[in-house]
Amino acid sequence: GGAYLPIDPDYPADRIRYMLDDARPTAIVTASSVAVPEGPVHTVLIDAPRPAPGPASPVAVRPEHPAYVIYTSGSTGRPKGVVVPHAGIVNRLLWMQEHYGLTVGEGVLQKTSASFDVSVWEFFWPLITGARLVLARPGGQREPGYVADVIGREGVTTAHFVPSMLQAFLADPAAAGCTGLRRVLCSGEALSGDARDRFFRTLPDVELHNLYGPTEASVDVTAHTCGPKETGPTVPIGGPVWNTGLHILDTWLRPVAPGVPGELYLSGIQLARGYWDRPALTAERFVADPFDTTGNGTRMYRTGDIVRRTTDGHLEYLGRTDDQVKIRGFRIEPGEIETALTSLTGVAQATVIVREDRPGDPRITAYLIPKNNTVLETARVRAAVSAVLPDHMVPAAFVTLDALPLTPNGKLDRKAL
């Protein structure tokens, strides 16, 4: 009857401590080889001898009860926990099975970090359908050659890639040999037409599906099946999954016409309960649904994503209303990285952007203004930030400037960075 909170053991100790202090879990389930910050939380070691459990007490679990909590980057400098109920993720899994039809004997490759919500369906989809769950070794998801090897060796038929990793996978000669795959699912970043075209040149008989969804809506809320004859520089994010409303609205929450960009709001069974212990932030992002006809006071989730509806009814992703970005599928708020940087001795100001100097390879770049002409050594800055931020949030490059470039009206000139 409890919810699970995945914690990546590779996270810095300070971040793990913050998550534990914030979530206040009943227990930590871990292994003796994994260092856990000391505290009052009861720790269960899976590799230590313990008494046989007694008979389980019946537990009444309702659809609205939390199933899991996943922490995402926060613009205030601290991550926030998203609380997802059973009803939402069960709807998502049942839709997935109806849509893709996983069968007994197939294998699903689980290679996504448990702290990223794609891992939820990777874990549970094969387990509720009688298929096989194939666990990649830790860190293996970053090695295209290893991924190709385990797909062939273990008879994997379903795999997920964020688009940037898909590009790296397809560039490896071994990818063309993964003909046992039946379907590849992409999400976490915008899928480019170039990646789609390269996929079908490499694996012409394998299905490619593009999905979209925020952590606040039980992994994915839209899906599009790509075709080898599709053209264009972008790939649609498709139409809604079961029991999901997609509203493209203007600033005054009025629906926009087809083809006109607007902000995407989501409604339906897959919405999260909100942010753990953050009532103000929950109220800001989960707003009253003006299109509700049930009288039950339903809500919409404000995604911050700009989309438009095509003539065939599918959605195209256009960008963000804010500075939030995705790197390797992980949501990143630049403000959280900037807070970590400005807390360092010798740093007066910091700003962070994502550069894509090579197509399909987005990288975080930090621009620093030193205090009192302090010499900022990149190695020391990187080490200090790595001690408080997970690997996917550590900038790939650090640039020291005398001052940040500004527009004539005094705002940061991001184009000049």
Side-chain angles (χ1 to χ4, degrees):
Y4 78 90
L5 164 64
I7 296 180
D8 191 329
D10 289 334
Y11 277 1
D14 285 352
R15 192 177 187 85
I16 293 176
R17 166 53 60 198
Y18 170 80
M19 293 167 66
L20 294 177
D21 289 345
D22 186 62
R24 305 185 296 278
T26 301
I28 300 173
V29 180
T30 184
S32 56
S33 60
V34 178
V36 177
E38 294 183 2
V41 182
H42 177 59
T43 300
V44 178
L45 297 177
I46 61 173
D47 52 353
R50 55 189 182 275
S57 301
V59 177
V61 182
R62 296 183 57 82
E64 64 269 20
H65 286 170
Y68 62 86
V69 178
I70 283 185
Y71 275 74
T72 66
S73 181
S75 58
T76 60
R78 287 294 190 179
K80 53 187 182 292
V82 180
V83 184
V84 177
H86 288 274
I89 189 59
V90 167
N91 182 82
R92 169 65 176 71
L93 288 166
L94 294 179
W95 166 85
M96 192 174 206
Q97 177 59 14
E98 177 69 19
H99 201 64
Y100 301 119
L102 192 66
T103 59
V104 173
E106 290 195 61
V108 175
L109 180 60
Q110 201 292 307
K111 63 181 184 65
T112 304
S113 166
S115 56
F116 181 25
D117 65 351
V118 166
S119 67
V120 180
W121 70 252
E122 284 184 337
F123 283 126
F124 292 106
W125 188 26
L127 297 181
I128 66 170
T129 57
R132 289 178 298 111
L133 175 64
V134 179
L135 294 167
R137 62 172 168 77
Q141 75 276 10
R142 292 187 287 269
E143 302 173 24
Y146 166 76
V147 172
D149 175 68
V150 76
I151 287 173
R153 177 163 36 86
E154 300 293 342
V156 170
T157 60
T158 301
H160 173 274
F161 292 90
V162 295
S164 53
M165 184 58 194
L166 179 64
Q167 289 273 38
F169 173 72
L170 295 174
D172 192 290
C178 295
T179 54
L181 281 171
R182 290 186 57 184
R183 61 188 74 83
V184 165
L185 284 70
C186 272
S187 66
E189 299 168 346
L191 179 62
S192 67
D194 177 66
R196 173 202 60 212
D197 297 343
R198 188 170 192 175
F199 178 88
F200 285 118
R201 289 196 301 269
T202 307
L203 296 166
D205 298 321
V206 181
E207 298 174 4
L208 177 63
H209 303 277
N210 188 35
L211 295 90
Y212 157 87
T215 302
E216 289 84 349
S218 306
V219 191
D220 299 303
V221 289
T222 73
H224 170 75
T225 299
C226 301
K229 295 183 179 180
E230 285 184 7
T231 59
T234 60
V235 178
I237 58 175
V241 305
W242 288 349
N243 302 307
T244 297
L246 309 176
H247 307 283
I248 308 174
L249 309 178
D250 64 15
T251 306
W252 297 274
L253 299 185
R254 299 178 304 193
V256 301
V260 176
E263 184 172 357
L264 179 61
Y265 287 72
L266 308 175
S267 63
I269 196 172
Q270 289 194 188
L271 292 197
R273 288 169 53 126
Y275 299 107
W276 170 252
D277 211 18
R278 303 279 187 93
L281 183 60
T282 298
E284 177 187 334
R285 303 302 297 190
F286 293 84
V287 301
D289 183 359
F291 309 103
D292 174 35
T293 58
T294 66
N296 295 327
T298 58
R299 305 171 304 156
M300 299 189 302
Y301 171 66
R302 181 183 180 185
T303 67
D305 290 324
I306 301 298
V307 301
R308 67 182 170 201
R309 197 180 303 274
T310 62
T311 54
D312 60 4
H314 284 187
L315 301 188
E316 287 183 342
Y317 174 81
L318 302 177
R320 292 284 303 172
T321 61
D322 54 22
D323 297 329
Q324 184 189 109
V325 295
K326 288 284 191 75
I327 298 291
R328 301 203 304 271
F330 288 94
R331 178 191 306 181
I332 293 173
E333 296 280 3
E336 185 174 353
I337 304 175
E338 291 165 358
T339 298
L341 288 168
T342 54
S343 68
L344 303 180
T345 302
V347 178
Q349 289 180 271
T351 193
V352 170
I353 66 171
V354 173
R355 299 177 61 100
E356 196 168 340
D357 298 322
R358 290 186 297 177
D361 185 23
R363 300 197 175 200
I364 302 172
T365 303
Y367 297 84
L368 309 176
I369 309 299
K371 287 181 181 177
N372 304 320
N373 298 318
T374 300
V375 176
L376 298 175
E377 297 182 17
T378 297
R380 290 187 177 182
V381 173
R382 187 186 304 279
V385 173
S386 297
V388 295
L389 295 176
D391 177 67
H392 62 267
M393 296 182 69
V394 176
F398 298 86
V399 180
T400 301
L401 301 174
D402 294 329
L404 294 175
L406 303 177
T407 63
N409 61 3
K411 294 183 178 181
L412 176 65
D413 186 357
R414 292 184 178 275
K415 293 183 179 179
L417 288 172

